[in-house]
Amino acid sequence: MIDEPELAALAPPPLARRGFVMTGLISGLTLATVRVEAQTIHTDAKGLDAAELHIPVADGGMPAYMARPQGSGPFPTVLVIEEIFGVHEYIKDVCRRLAKLGYLAVAPELYAREGDLTQAMTQAQAFAIVNRAPEQQINSDLDATVAWAARNRADPARLGVTGFCRGGRLTWLYAAHSTTPKAAVAWYGPFSGPTSEIEPVSPMDVVGRINCPVLGLYAGLDPSTTPAQIAEAEAKAKAAGKTVQFVTYPDAMHGFHADYRPSYNARDAADGWARMLAWFRRYGVA
């Protein structure tokens, strides 16, 4: 059970002038992409504390999902960074899978200010929302999530980060922003591309400035990340003395870990998951 003092976090604090469009998370799976629900993995919450909550940030309460083992902790922690589709059942299940392994896993809804992803019916509608979120704001919200976890039975000295799709991109950026994570694992996501005022850098720009070891898990059939880009990123990181490892699955498509989508590849997803857990153990998260 979640302790009484923590129940206050389950209700959003009063909204500031800007406020939040989303005050809750998606129930079930996203409607914004093709789903194959028969193949989805369902992890129960037996033995866990698992709940939706609101994390205090400068302008209100950011929706999030948390799962952790029952007990006093402190627990090693994994910050889970969502796809473009919001914190829906797949991301929540990833948190529960990690919690079953002894981690406190928390996934913030980073796009809550920009629009209501619960109403996005297409990928284009989802992109229209998430593309409005400034990276400086995202990093600040991830910092706030880490601070929340440290107040709620997490061990701040054992923090890992992982993200999927756009979250894979943000994993690299956060590894360059924060000195707190011990290790990070990026699942696919674009490595370079056009920048803008709200997206001033790409992972390629910061790979030589990361503050922790990063494992990148990529798909050979993903046109958004080419072998040449991966080779360039690896060379830049190693020239700067950074610890990185890139694994490319030749027959995998973008989203190969997303078990609710046609792109799911059970073999490669399981291999990537095992590599992620080994990476966390190797570099002091577990």
Side-chain angles (χ1 to χ4, degrees), residues 39-137:
Q39 69 186 15
T40 58
I41 297 171
H42 298 282
T43 304
D44 63 51
K46 184 177 180 181
L48 306 178
D49 291 331
E52 294 187 15
L53 61 141
H54 287 80
I55 292 173
V57 291
D59 54 349
M62 176 175 56
Y65 183 83
M66 178 276 299
R68 71 182 178 211
Q70 292 177 351
S72 59
F75 303 107
T77 306
V78 179
L79 185 59
V80 179
I81 307 180
E82 65 196 297
E83 311 164 303
I84 67 165
F85 304 115
V87 181
H88 60 103
E89 181 56 28
Y90 161 64
I91 297 297
K92 296 174 190 177
D93 201 274
V94 168
C95 290
R96 292 194 297 273
R97 295 175 211 176
L98 288 164
K100 291 278 188 176
L101 297 172
Y103 294 96
L104 185 159
V106 57
E109 182 44 77
L110 299 170
Y111 308 109
R113 298 175 188 80
E114 317 311 327
D116 190 349
L117 283 167
T118 68
Q119 302 301 310
M121 302 297 292
T122 66
Q123 290 194 32
Q125 290 173 348
F127 270 117
I129 292 171
V130 304
N131 283 341
R132 294 196 291 264
E135 285 172 4
Q136 183 178 4
Q137 172 185 287

Side-chain angles (χ1 to χ4, degrees), residues 48-237:
L48 306 178
D49 291 331
E52 294 187 15
L53 61 141
H54 287 80
I55 292 173
V57 291
D59 54 349
M62 176 175 56
Y65 183 83
M66 178 276 299
R68 71 182 178 211
Q70 292 177 351
S72 59
F75 303 107
T77 306
V78 179
L79 185 59
V80 179
I81 307 180
E82 65 196 297
E83 311 164 303
I84 67 165
F85 304 115
V87 181
H88 60 103
E89 181 56 28
Y90 161 64
I91 297 297
K92 296 174 190 177
D93 201 274
V94 168
C95 290
R96 292 194 297 273
R97 295 175 211 176
L98 288 164
K100 291 278 188 176
L101 297 172
Y103 294 96
L104 185 159
V106 57
E109 182 44 77
L110 299 170
Y111 308 109
R113 298 175 188 80
E114 317 311 327
D116 190 349
L117 283 167
T118 68
Q119 302 301 310
M121 302 297 292
T122 66
Q123 290 194 32
Q125 290 173 348
F127 270 117
I129 292 171
V130 304
N131 283 341
R132 294 196 291 264
E135 285 172 4
Q136 183 178 4
Q137 172 185 287
I138 288 173
N139 282 333
S140 176
D141 286 345
L142 293 173
D143 287 342
T145 304
V146 172
W148 175 88
R151 298 192 300 269
N152 289 276
R153 306 187 197 175
D155 182 351
R158 292 187 292 164
L159 173 68
V161 183
T162 194
F164 304 86
C165 185
R166 193 184 189 92
R169 175 184 184 276
L170 293 174
T171 295
W172 287 98
L173 300 186
Y174 193 67
H177 163 79
S178 176
T179 59
T180 305
K182 291 287 190 180
V185 179
W187 297 77
Y188 29 93
F191 218 92
S192 63
T195 57
S196 66
E197 183 177 349
I198 67 169
E199 295 182 337
V201 294
S202 71
M204 190 71 77
D205 297 323
V206 304
V207 68
R209 305 200 303 268
I210 56 174
N211 296 301
C212 67
V214 181
L215 169 65
L217 302 170
Y218 291 93
L221 303 180
D222 184 354
S224 70
T225 309
T226 66
Q229 289 172 339
I230 292 174
E232 180 183 355
E234 184 173 20
K236 283 187 174 182

Side-chain angles (χ1 to χ4, degrees), residues 2-26:
I2 297 177
D3 292 342
E4 189 68 26
E6 295 173 341
L7 294 179
L10 301 181
L15 298 181
R17 181 172 60 183
R18 183 181 180 196
F20 283 76
V21 176
M22 286 182 72
T23 56
L25 303 176
I26 295 172

